[in-house]
Amino acid sequence: MRDVADHEIGTTASRQLRRVTDFLAAARFMVGAGFHTHAGRTTLKLAEVFATRMARSKDGHFPFSADATARELGLKRRAVFNHARYLRELGLIAYVEHGSKRNVLRTRYGSDWTSEHGYRGTATLFAAVAPRVWDEAMGRRIEGEGHTARQVGVTDAGRELAVAAAVEKHRERQRHQHTEPVDNSETCTPSVVVPQPRTLGSVDGGDKDRTRERACRDKSPKHRAKRSTGWSAARTAAAMQEARWVQLRAWWTQGSCVRQLAYGLRPFFEAGWTWEQIARELTRWTVPLRPRHVASYVASEIRQRVNAGTLFLPDGLVAPYRQPETSTWDDGATPHGPRYAAMQAWKASTFRPAAARAAAAVEEIRRVLAGHVEPRRTPTAQERHVGAHPQDVRLTREEIDALLESSHPVVACETLWAQAEVAAESRIGAQNRRSTWEYLPAAPPERR
C-alpha cells in the first residue's frame, strides 16, 4: 500500500490484531514472501520491538518513539522511520494517532502553566493489523472489511495448517524439555531429613545465611515510627459513640467501621461540632451510592470542601492541597531574572507609548461625544407621580406618605395594593366630579 492515506486505522484494509503471536507470524510471512523489496531482517527486528510494546495494550496499540527505538536497535533515526514505513506499506501497522511536538501540559494547565511544569509532547500510536493476503494464505474466513473485520472460521486448508503448526509446536516443546535422569545418590530425600535447629551462623564463624536474610528483608514491610495523635483513650471512645449516632442519621455511613469513621470525623470533633451538626452536614452531601470505604470518602470530602471554601473549619485541622511552586522569573535568584527584567524594559519602551496615545485618543472621543449629548429635562410634578399599581393607578408622593402613616407597619403586599387602589380611585372620582358637570334646567310644573 504505497498510498499514505491507506495507512490510517480508519482507512486500512487490514483487520485488527490483539495477540503478539499473530502479529509476529504475519510479519514473518509478509517479509519472507517478498511482498516488499526493501523489507528484511531489520524490519523483523523492528516488528519484534513493536510486539513487546503491543502486549501492554488490550487493543493491540503501541507507542512509537524514533529515538528510543533507535537506541534499542542500534540504528539511525532515518533507518527506524524507513522500516516503520515498510511495515505500514505491508499492511502490518496503521496509525491510531499522529505524534505532535505541541506541549500538552500548556493545554492541561491553561493560564496556570509555568515553566516548572515542563514540556511533554504526544507520541505516535500504531495499531497492529493483519493484511488480507496473510489471512487467505492461512486459510481463514474473514467477515467484514477494514480494521473492524473479524475471523469467523477456517477453511479445510487452514485447518490442516493449524494442525501441522500445533504438532510442530508440541515437538519443539518436547525437544527443549529437561531429559537428564534424577540424581538419587543421597541416602534419603530432603523431605524426611531430621530438622535441625536454625542458626544464624556456622560454628567456625562463617557468613550468615545471606539468602534467607535477603528473602526476609525483601518481603517484610518497613515499619515507620508512629507519632501520637494527642487523643486519649476516653476521648477516642467518646468520638466512637458520637460516630454511632452519626451513623443512625446518615444512611450511607451505616455498615462501616465505627472506629475508622470516628477517625475520619476528627476534624469536626476538633472544631467542637456535636453529632447533630455532623449528621446534618453529612446528610447535605449528595451521595447517590454507599462508598466502598466510608471513612476514606469522609476524610477526602472534608479536605476537598475545606480547600474549596464550602466548609469552614479552624485553620490547621485540614492539610491544604500541595500547590506547585511558581516563580515570576524576576526575583534574580535564577539566571533568567536579568533576562526577564530586560524583556519588561523593552516592552515598556516599545508598547507603552503607543498605549498612552491610544488612551488619550479614547478620552478625546469621549469628550467630543459628551458635548453632543442633550441635557436632561427636569420632569414635571405630574411626571413625578409614583405608580402604586403596575397597570394604571398612580399616586402622588404625599398620598403614598399618608397611606404609609395610616397603615400598619407590617402588612401584606396584597392588602397594601388594595388600600392604594381604593385611595387612588377615590382621588380620581373626586377629580372627575370637580372637572365635569352638566347644566340641567328647572322642570316645568306638573299639570293638574
Side-chain angles (χ1 to χ4, degrees):
M1 295 185 295
R2 300 288 184 178
D3 191 0
V4 181
D6 297 334
H7 298 172
E8 304 291 335
I9 192 174
T11 58
T12 181
S14 304
R15 67 180 178 91
Q16 181 184 13
L17 287 180
R18 290 187 174 91
R19 295 196 301 179
V20 176
T21 54
D22 292 342
F23 175 67
L24 291 178
R28 295 190 184 100
F29 174 81
M30 297 297 292
V31 174
F35 286 102
H36 202 291
T37 57
H38 299 288
R41 289 180 297 177
T42 306
T43 310
L44 291 178
K45 289 182 179 180
L46 181 60
E48 293 174 358
V49 172
F50 288 163
T52 57
R53 302 175 186 175
M54 171 187 167
R56 307 170 190 170
S57 172
K58 64 181 180 63
D59 297 323
H61 299 173
F62 53 89
F64 173 67
S65 174
D67 296 332
T69 309
R71 289 192 300 268
E72 186 174 356
L73 294 177
L75 302 173
K76 298 293 184 180
R77 295 180 74 253
R78 177 51 55 188
V80 172
F81 283 124
N82 289 336
H83 288 280
R85 177 168 55 85
Y86 301 157
L87 292 176
R88 295 200 311 270
E89 293 176 352
L90 287 172
L92 295 171
I93 60 176
Y95 279 109
V96 178
E97 181 180 350
H98 290 268
S100 173
K101 292 186 178 297
R102 180 182 299 176
N103 191 358
V104 295
L105 296 180
R106 280 184 176 270
T107 306
R108 180 184 302 176
Y109 290 99
S111 60
D112 298 334
W113 182 87
T114 60
S115 57
E116 280 82 1
H117 291 105
Y119 165 82
R120 184 181 301 170
T122 55
T124 300
L125 291 181
F126 280 121
V129 292
R132 184 60 65 92
V133 177
W134 177 68
D135 287 329
E136 294 176 354
M138 293 295 106
R140 294 185 173 90
R141 291 190 292 110
I142 306 300
E143 180 179 351
E145 296 292 337
H147 185 261
T148 59
R150 292 293 178 266
Q151 178 183 350
V152 296
V154 294
T155 60
D156 295 338
R159 188 175 293 104
E160 294 177 0
L161 290 175
V163 171
V167 171
E168 182 63 25
K169 185 177 181 180
H170 179 68
R171 291 176 180 175
E172 188 71 17
R173 189 184 300 112
Q174 286 183 341
R175 192 179 303 115
H176 289 82
Q177 283 182 351
H178 185 71
T179 56
E180 295 181 0
V182 180
D183 186 9
N184 292 326
S185 59
E186 298 291 338
T187 57
C188 59
T189 59
S191 60
V192 297
V193 173
V194 179
Q196 301 294 329
R198 179 168 172 248
T199 58
L200 298 178
S202 59
V203 179
D204 56 352
D207 295 336
K208 294 187 291 184
D209 187 3
R210 299 293 183 182
T211 306
R212 180 65 180 171
E213 180 184 359
R214 188 181 299 109
C216 295
R217 184 174 63 251
D218 293 340
K219 294 180 180 179
S220 60
K222 296 182 180 180
H223 298 281
R224 56 184 179 88
K226 296 181 179 180
R227 56 184 179 86
S228 175
T229 58
W231 282 53
S232 61
R235 190 179 181 186
T236 304
M240 292 174 60
Q241 184 64 31
E242 297 281 329
R244 281 193 177 92
W245 288 105
V246 171
Q247 279 186 333
L248 295 177
R249 298 302 187 275
W251 66 270
W252 52 271
T253 60
Q254 299 172 5
S256 61
C257 179
V258 180
R259 184 183 298 274
Q260 295 178 358
L261 180 60
Y263 185 82
L265 295 175
R266 280 193 178 186
F268 288 136
F269 295 138
E270 292 279 4
W273 288 31
T274 61
W275 69 267
E276 294 94 344
Q277 296 173 340
I278 297 175
R280 193 179 302 113
E281 176 64 28
L282 294 186
T283 51
R284 289 196 190 101
W285 299 354
T286 55
V287 183
L289 298 175
R290 182 179 289 107
R292 180 176 298 179
H293 198 283
V294 176
S296 300
Y297 174 78
V298 168
S300 175
E301 191 71 14
I302 290 174
R303 185 182 182 189
Q304 179 180 357
R305 290 175 178 266
V306 169
N307 285 276
T310 58
L311 180 62
F312 300 98
L313 293 178
D315 297 337
L317 295 183
V318 178
Y321 287 119
R322 203 178 307 173
Q323 301 292 339
E325 298 180 359
T326 57
S327 174
T328 57
W329 297 97
D330 57 350
D331 48 6
T334 61
H336 302 284
R339 177 175 174 271
Y340 182 84
M343 181 180 64
Q344 292 297 328
W346 176 78
K347 285 184 178 180
S349 61
T350 305
F351 299 107
R352 287 183 182 175
R357 290 194 299 270
V362 170
E363 291 296 332
E364 180 65 20
I365 292 173
R366 288 178 178 176
R367 185 185 62 80
V368 172
L369 292 177
H372 292 78
V373 175
E374 297 181 358
R376 289 188 176 182
R377 184 173 56 87
T378 303
T380 61
Q382 186 68 19
E383 294 175 350
R384 286 197 297 267
H385 289 178
V386 181
H389 199 274
Q391 296 176 357
D392 56 352
V393 179
R394 303 180 65 84
L395 295 178
T396 61
R397 175 62 63 183
E398 292 77 8
E399 291 174 342
I400 290 179
D401 295 338
L403 183 62
L404 292 177
E405 290 178 0
S406 61
S407 62
H408 195 271
V410 180
V411 65
C413 293
E414 293 81 359
T415 306
L416 185 59
W417 284 117
Q419 295 176 1
E421 283 191 11
V422 171
E425 288 176 357
S426 61
R427 178 177 59 82
I428 293 173
Q431 289 179 358
N432 292 336
R433 286 194 299 271
R434 289 195 304 268
S435 60
T436 62
W437 57 274
E438 183 179 359
Y439 172 75
L440 297 176
E446 297 180 358
R447 294 181 181 180
R448 293 182 179 182

